[in-house]
Amino acid sequence: MDTTMPPRRHNRFARPTDRERMDAGFDARLHADDVAFGARDAALLRAIDATGSLNAAAERLGRSYSRAHGRLDDLEAAFGPLVERTRGGASGGGTALTEDAYALLARFERLRAGYAAIAETTVAVLSGTVVDRDGELGTVETDAGVVRALVPPDADAVDVAVRADAVTLHAPDDAPSADATSARNRFEGTVERVESGDAVARVRVDVGADTALDALLTVDSVERLGLRVGHPVVASFKATATRATPTER
């Protein structure tokens, strides 16, 4: 995770434009057109701000200049002007962030903070029995159904923890098949609760077990998917994002 400090100037926040939407996946990202702005992009802008040079920023991050330049062009085509370049002069020229760039960074940090604050306290626990193993991964039978997860080597009775930021929700008609995605854990259910904040919402899904699954989405994504109490959904999550621990007796 990017641990650099927030930008040191411009505390003004920009409202999202009509063409921008936030991604419903568990990674914090902002979308404009078909371009996703994520943690690597935020790190690039902050490095430019700190060094005053795209070339120096790329070097600091261990990236090639050509790839950093190409990525910046893609971001600017989607989000608008993000840097101002000057040439020559007493200072030798350089690159500085625009107000749009600072506003974009601020919006991204608000989104990521919203995800983190909820995800840290939202974990569903499904109890079950390991019925098969394939290296570190195992198949666990739970009340909700079969779950693939990282399992301990010497335990059969386990608790499977599923973090809310690892769960993706799909409309039933649009859900990819299990063979078409790496998120092999899939459960059909209905929306039990929707708790919306300023940017992030927590959606609780009844999957027919004692413990419901929670998922984190942006508020915009909740509206786009039309999620309401009683709405049918498909919840999916990756085995490698799911960890089982021995059940305490």
Side-chain angles (χ1 to χ4, degrees), residues 21 29-38 41 71 73-79:
R21 63 180 177 83
R29 289 172 291 172
L30 294 169
H31 277 199
D33 297 332
D34 294 326
V35 178
F37 181 93
D41 301 314
R71 181 57 180 170
D73 285 345
D74 291 341
L75 292 173
E76 290 194 306
F79 292 94

Side-chain angles (χ1 to χ4, degrees), residues 130-139 148-151:
V130 179
V131 295
D132 190 26
R133 284 184 167 84
D134 181 11
E136 295 85 356
L137 292 174
T139 301
R148 290 277 289 169
L150 296 167
V151 298

Side-chain angles (χ1 to χ4, degrees), residues 124-133 136-143 145 147-161 242-249:
V125 178
L126 303 173
S127 297
T129 303
V130 179
V131 295
D132 190 26
R133 284 184 167 84
E136 295 85 356
L137 292 174
T139 301
V140 183
E141 287 187 352
T142 75
D143 291 340
V147 177
R148 290 277 289 169
L150 296 167
V151 298
D154 301 320
D156 293 327
V158 296
D159 292 328
V160 180
T242 312
R243 184 174 297 276
T245 57
T247 300
E248 295 185 5
R249 299 184 184 277

Side-chain angles (χ1 to χ4, degrees), residues 8 25 132 144 192:
R8 57 180 179 272
D132 190 26
E192 185 177 284

Side-chain angles (χ1 to χ4, degrees), residues 32-146:
D33 297 332
D34 294 326
V35 178
F37 181 93
R40 282 177 58 86
D41 301 314
L44 177 60
L45 292 187
R46 292 199 186 97
I48 292 172
D49 190 36
T51 64
S53 163
L54 177 59
N55 186 51
E59 183 177 355
R60 169 179 286 198
L61 297 173
R63 307 178 194 177
S64 71
Y65 173 80
S66 60
R67 290 180 67 87
H69 189 279
R71 181 57 180 170
L72 184 59
D73 285 345
D74 291 341
L75 292 173
E76 290 194 306
F79 292 94
L82 300 177
V83 298
E84 296 176 337
R85 299 174 177 87
T86 59
R87 298 182 181 277
S91 62
T95 304
L97 299 189
T98 65
E99 290 195 11
D100 285 346
Y102 289 115
L104 181 62
L105 284 170
R107 287 176 45 220
F108 176 73
E109 285 306 315
R110 292 201 306 274
L111 177 64
R112 188 163 62 174
Y115 269 90
I118 300 175
E120 287 174 358
T121 58
T122 307
V123 178
V125 178
L126 303 173
S127 297
T129 303
V130 179
V131 295
D132 190 26
R133 284 184 167 84
D134 181 11
E136 295 85 356
L137 292 174
T139 301
V140 183
E141 287 187 352
T142 75
D143 291 340
V146 175

Side-chain angles (χ1 to χ4, degrees), residues 175-201:
S177 64
D179 294 336
T181 175
S182 60
R184 296 300 180 91
N185 292 312
R186 295 161 51 83
F187 295 92
E188 295 182 359
T190 57
V191 176
E192 185 177 284
R193 184 186 307 166
V194 179
E195 301 175 357
S196 295
D198 293 334
V200 179

Side-chain angles (χ1 to χ4, degrees), residues 144-225:
V146 175
V147 177
R148 290 277 289 169
L150 296 167
V151 298
D154 301 320
D156 293 327
V158 296
D159 292 328
V160 180
V162 184
R163 288 174 59 95
D165 56 346
V167 178
T168 301
L169 299 185
H170 313 268
D173 293 341
D174 296 331
S177 64
D179 294 336
T181 175
S182 60
R184 296 300 180 91
N185 292 312
R186 295 161 51 83
F187 295 92
E188 295 182 359
T190 57
V191 176
E192 185 177 284
R193 184 186 307 166
V194 179
E195 301 175 357
S196 295
D198 293 334
V200 179
R202 177 170 55 192
V203 180
R204 178 153 293 178
V205 179
D206 181 0
V207 293
D210 291 338
T211 301
L213 292 179
D214 285 332
L216 295 185
L217 288 78
T218 63
V219 171
D220 184 69
S221 295
V222 170
E223 294 299 321
R224 179 165 51 83
L225 292 172

